[in-house]
C-alpha cells in the first residue's frame, strides 16, 4: 500500500475521522497513512 | 424512573420478531440424536428463508464449483454452524428492515457490519484459529444494539449520530449522554433476551471496552480491532463518523503485525461487495 498523497481537504477529513484515536500507536499510524482503492468506501459522512 | 437498556429491548420486542428458526436450530444441534435431515426440516418450514439461504450459498461469495440445490446439501457443504449463522444473520436483517432512511442508510450500516464480519474472520485466521465462522457472525452482529436504538428511539439515536458527526464525541459516549445508555448495553440485553451464544453477548457488550471481557477476550478483541480497521478505511457507515479508540491491550492480545493490515483490508475490499449484494437483496416473495 502506498503512502498517501492527500489533498489538504482529504487530509482534514482523515484527521477528523481519526480524531479520537492515539496516532502514536503503530497500528493507528499504519491505518492513518493507508490508502486503499476507493471502491465502495463511504466518504460522504465527514 | 429512567428507561434502561433492558426495558427498551422488552418494549422493542413487540416490533421485532425473534430469530425463531435460529433458536429452534440451536436447540436441535445440542441434541446428540439430531441429524442433518432434522435440521433441514426446520429450515424448510420457512420456504422464504430456505430460498434465501440457497441463494447465499450459491453466490460468488462462497464460489462453490457446483450448484447446491437443497438445504441438506448446503449443510453438508457449508457446515451446520455456518448455515445456522446465515439463518441468524438473515433473520436479523429482516427483523430490522423498518429503520427510516432519514436516520441512517441501512445499506451503509450493513456494509460496515459485513466488512467487520469478513475482517474479524480474516484476523482470526491470521491469529491461527481454525474454526473462524463464529468470528464472522460476531463481527456481523456487534452493533445489533444500534438497530434497536434506531428502530425504537430514532429521534434520540439521530441526535447521538449528529452529535458524534459534528465532532463532540464518539458515538457510544454521545448515546450515553443523550439516551442514558449506549448501543453496547442494548446489544447485550437483546442478545440475552434472544438467548444468543454467550460469545455474541460479550462481543455486543464489550466491543468498545475489550479489556472488560469475561469469558471470550479473544472474540471481543478481534471484533474490537476489526471494527476499528473497517472504520478507518471506511467500509460503510455504522452511524459513527469517527474511528473508535483502540484498546492497545486488545491489539497486543492478537499478536499481529500492523504492517499486515493494509493487505488484509484489501482482501476485505475484494469480498465485501459479493457478500453485501447477496445478503441485502430482497426476495420478491
Amino acid at each position: 500500500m502506498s503512502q498517501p498523497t492527500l489533498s489538504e481537504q482529504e487530509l482534514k477529513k482523515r484527521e477528523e475521522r481519526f480524531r479520537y484515536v492515539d496516532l502514536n500507536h503503530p497500528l493507528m499510524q499504519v491505518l492513518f497513512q493507508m490508502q486503499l482503492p476507493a471502491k465502495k468506501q463511504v466518504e460522504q459522512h465527514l | 424512573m429512567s428507561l434502561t437498556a433492558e426495558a427498551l429491548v422488552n418494549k422493542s420486542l413487540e416490533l421485532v420478531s425473534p430469530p425463531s428458526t435460529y433458536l429452534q436450530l440451536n436447540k436441535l444441534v445440542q441434541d446428540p440424536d439430531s441429524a442433518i435431515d432434522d435440521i433441514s426440516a426446520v429450515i424448510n418450514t420457512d420456504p422464504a428463508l430456505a430460498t434465501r439461504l440457497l441463494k447465499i450459498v450459491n453466490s460468488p461469495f462462497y464460489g462453490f464449483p457446483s450448484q447446491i440445490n437443497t438445504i441438506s446439501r448446503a449443510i453438508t457443504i457449508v457446515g451446520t454452524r455456518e448455515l445456522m449463522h446465515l439463518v441468524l444473520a438473515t433473520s436479523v436483517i429482516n427483523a430490522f428492515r423498518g429503520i427510516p432512511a432519514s436516520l441512517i442508510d441501512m445499506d451503509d450500516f450493513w456494509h460496515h457490519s459485513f466488512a467487520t464480519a469478513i475482517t474479524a474472520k480474516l484476523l482470526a485466521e491470521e491469529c491461527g484459529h481454525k474454526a473462524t465462522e463464529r468470528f464472522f457472525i460476531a463481527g456481523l452482529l456487534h452493533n445489533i444494539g444500534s438497530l434497536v436504538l434506531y428502530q425504537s428511539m430514532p429521534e434520540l439515536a439521530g441526535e447521538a449520530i449528529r452529535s458524534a458527526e459534528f465532532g463532540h464525541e464518539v458515538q457510544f459516549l454521545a448515546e450515553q449522554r443523550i439516551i442514558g445508555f449506549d448501543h453496547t448495553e442494548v446489544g447485550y440485553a437483546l442478545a440475552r433476551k434472544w438467548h444468543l451464544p454467550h460469545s455474541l453477548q460479550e462481543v455486543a457488550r464489550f466491543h468498545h471496552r475489550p479489556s472488560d471481557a469475561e469469558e471470550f477476550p479473544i472474540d471481543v478483541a478481534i471484533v474490537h480491532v476489526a471494527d476499528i480497521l473497517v472504520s478507518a478505511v471506511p467500509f460503510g457507515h455504522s452511524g459513527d463518523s469517527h474511528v473508535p479508540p483502540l484498546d492497545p491491550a486488545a491489539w497486543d492480545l492478537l499478536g499481529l503485525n500492523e504492517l499486515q493490515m493494509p493487505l488484509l483490508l484489501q482482501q476485505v475490499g475484494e469480498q465485501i461487495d459479493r457478500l453485501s449484494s447477496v445478503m441485502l437483496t430482497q426476495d420478491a416473495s
Side-chain angles (χ1 to χ4, degrees):
Chain A
M1 226 59 51
S2 57
Q3 292 287 311
T5 329
L6 297 174
S7 68
E8 198 177 330
Q9 196 191 6
E10 286 168 331
L11 186 63
K12 262 190 161 176
K13 268 189 193 174
R14 190 164 293 200
E15 282 171 350
E16 178 58 30
R17 175 164 286 282
F18 283 75
R19 174 195 278 244
Y20 300 111
V21 305
D22 175 9
L23 285 174
N24 291 317
H25 191 281
L27 174 63
M28 300 319 301
Q29 285 178 8
V30 167
L31 294 177
F32 186 81
Q33 289 167 7
M34 178 181 65
Q35 270 199 315
L36 290 172
K39 189 176 111 181
K40 275 281 179 184
Q41 294 174 17
V42 179
E43 290 285 2
Q44 69 267 33
H45 296 286
L46 278 175
Chain B
M1 205 170 101
S2 59
L3 186 65
T4 63
E6 289 77 16
L8 177 70
V9 164
N10 286 336
K11 192 170 147 236
S12 305
L13 290 182
E14 292 165 17
L15 302 171
V16 176
S17 319
S20 51
T21 305
Y22 170 81
L23 296 174
Q24 273 179 276
L25 293 173
N26 214 11
K27 266 191 192 158
L28 207 52
V29 294
Q30 285 163 27
D31 176 355
D33 295 329
S34 68
I36 285 180
D37 285 349
D38 301 320
I39 294 167
S40 60
V42 168
I43 294 175
N44 283 324
T45 57
D46 183 343
L49 175 66
T51 306
R52 167 58 61 90
L53 290 174
L54 290 175
K55 267 188 192 168
I56 294 170
V57 297
N58 283 301
S59 72
F61 179 71
Y62 279 98
F64 292 122
S66 58
Q67 187 79 7
I68 299 169
N69 294 316
T70 65
I71 292 295
S72 309
R73 180 89 181 123
I75 293 168
T76 309
I77 302 280
V78 177
T80 308
R81 284 276 162 206
E82 183 143 356
L83 205 71
M84 280 176 60
H85 291 156
L86 291 176
V87 169
L88 179 57
T90 306
S91 305
V92 172
I93 291 168
N94 284 338
F96 289 98
R97 283 214 189 266
I99 292 171
S102 55
L103 178 64
I104 187 162
D105 181 324
M106 286 309 292
D107 281 0
D108 279 351
F109 177 90
W110 285 116
H111 207 74
H112 171 91
S113 299
F114 294 142
T116 308
I118 296 168
T119 306
K121 189 172 189 291
L122 293 174
L123 284 172
E125 285 168 9
E126 288 291 332
C127 291
H129 290 274
K130 298 287 178 224
T132 53
E133 72 274 6
R134 80 169 196 272
F135 298 97
F136 180 91
I137 191 72
L140 186 59
L141 299 183
H142 72 289
N143 277 336
I144 196 170
S146 299
L147 295 169
V148 176
L149 291 179
Y150 298 157
Q151 175 120 333
S152 300
M153 38 175 52
E155 287 180 13
L156 291 177
E159 202 180 322
I161 289 174
R162 286 190 295 279
S163 178
E165 186 171 353
F166 293 115
H168 304 305
E169 57 217 316
V170 284
Q171 192 183 0
F172 67 93
L173 294 177
E175 289 166 353
Q176 286 172 13
R177 183 174 57 76
I178 292 165
I179 301 169
F181 46 83
D182 65 37
H183 66 273
T184 66
E185 293 164 75
V186 179
Y188 175 56
L190 181 64
R192 271 168 56 98
K193 196 80 188 171
W194 277 357
H195 305 290
L196 299 186
H198 285 190
S199 58
L200 296 184
Q201 293 181 20
E202 280 214 358
V203 168
R205 186 182 190 185
F206 295 126
H207 64 269
H208 287 308
R209 44 189 179 101
S211 292
D212 289 345
E214 293 157 1
E215 279 181 83
F216 299 94
I218 296 284
D219 298 52
V220 174
I222 282 180
V223 173
H224 170 73
V225 171
D227 187 25
I228 287 167
L229 296 180
V230 165
S231 302
V233 174
F235 289 115
H237 179 60
S238 65
D240 198 341
S241 300
H242 298 95
V243 181
L246 172 74
D247 179 341
W251 173 248
D252 292 345
L253 191 62
L254 304 190
L256 298 176
N257 181 340
E258 61 274 4
L259 297 176
Q260 295 170 290
M261 296 304 107
L263 190 59
L264 184 141
L265 285 167
Q266 203 163 17
Q267 285 177 262
V268 176
E270 287 158 11
Q271 296 181 32
I272 182 66
D273 289 346
R274 292 199 291 261
L275 181 62
S276 290
S277 62
V278 71
M279 293 296 289
L280 294 177
T281 308
Q282 291 210 44
D283 294 322
S285 56

